[in-house]
Amino acid sequence: MRAERAQAAVDCLADNGFPGAIAYADGSTSLEVDDAQQSAYAAVSMECMKQICPNCGKPLPQASLERLYDLQIEVRACLKQEFDIDTSEPPALQTYLDAPEEQRWNPYLEAAAAMAQSGKLRAVESTCPDPISIASYW
């Protein structure tokens, strides 16, 4: 699904005056844009994303946040069991739900430096995928 969305973004960008973007299987895209076009590109990119993924960037409903909390606990265990990467203990569910998004417990974010230093980033990402990166795809 990510690859399909990336391709849709590339197509939308091309249709709106920014051809040449590349879509990758992981859902990312790349396109070199000169400084003079940055503002226009940002606006087109935002509009394309709204068309492709209308729920992306919106706050998750409580049921999705509860599922995300469970996935965060699972990824914490995966990081420890598979790669010996430890993170802080999870907060209580209600504490997690009440926290502002930017302050919400995130073991994947806590483990980012250790993952990068491990030299096994791709293996970690494929074995223990980041729940946040898939949250908007539910």
Side-chain angles (χ1 to χ4, degrees):
M1 180 172 233
R2 289 181 185 191
E4 292 170 6
R5 285 194 179 162
Q7 187 56 54
V10 166
D11 294 344
C12 181
L13 289 168
D15 291 346
N16 288 280
F18 291 94
I22 299 169
Y24 299 99
D26 68 356
S28 63
T29 61
S30 67
L31 177 65
E32 289 188 35
V33 179
D34 64 41
D35 290 342
Q37 292 183 307
Q38 285 295 330
S39 178
Y41 172 74
V44 168
S45 294
M46 184 64 69
E47 286 306 310
C48 287
M49 186 53 68
K50 286 179 185 177
Q51 292 172 24
I52 296 162
C53 184
N55 291 324
C56 291
K58 292 185 180 176
L60 295 172
Q62 181 162 334
S64 292
L65 279 175
E66 290 173 2
R67 175 68 179 131
L68 182 59
Y69 175 80
D70 292 339
L71 290 171
Q72 295 284 34
I73 290 172
E74 289 175 22
V75 81
R76 178 182 184 269
C78 180
L79 290 168
K80 179 64 176 167
Q81 292 168 357
E82 300 295 327
F83 300 96
D84 199 30
I85 296 174
D86 207 5
T87 63
S88 66
E89 291 289 325
L93 174 60
Q94 193 59 51
T95 301
Y96 180 85
L97 295 173
D98 291 343
E101 183 178 352
E102 65 278 358
Q103 296 174 8
R104 200 170 287 136
W105 177 71
N106 183 335
Y108 213 84
L109 187 59
E110 288 179 19
M115 291 179 345
Q117 293 171 354
S118 73
K120 301 177 183 176
L121 187 57
R122 291 278 187 209
V124 173
E125 289 174 337
S126 65
T127 304
C128 308
D130 179 9
I132 295 291
S133 71
I134 62 172
S136 63
Y137 294 89
W138 297 340

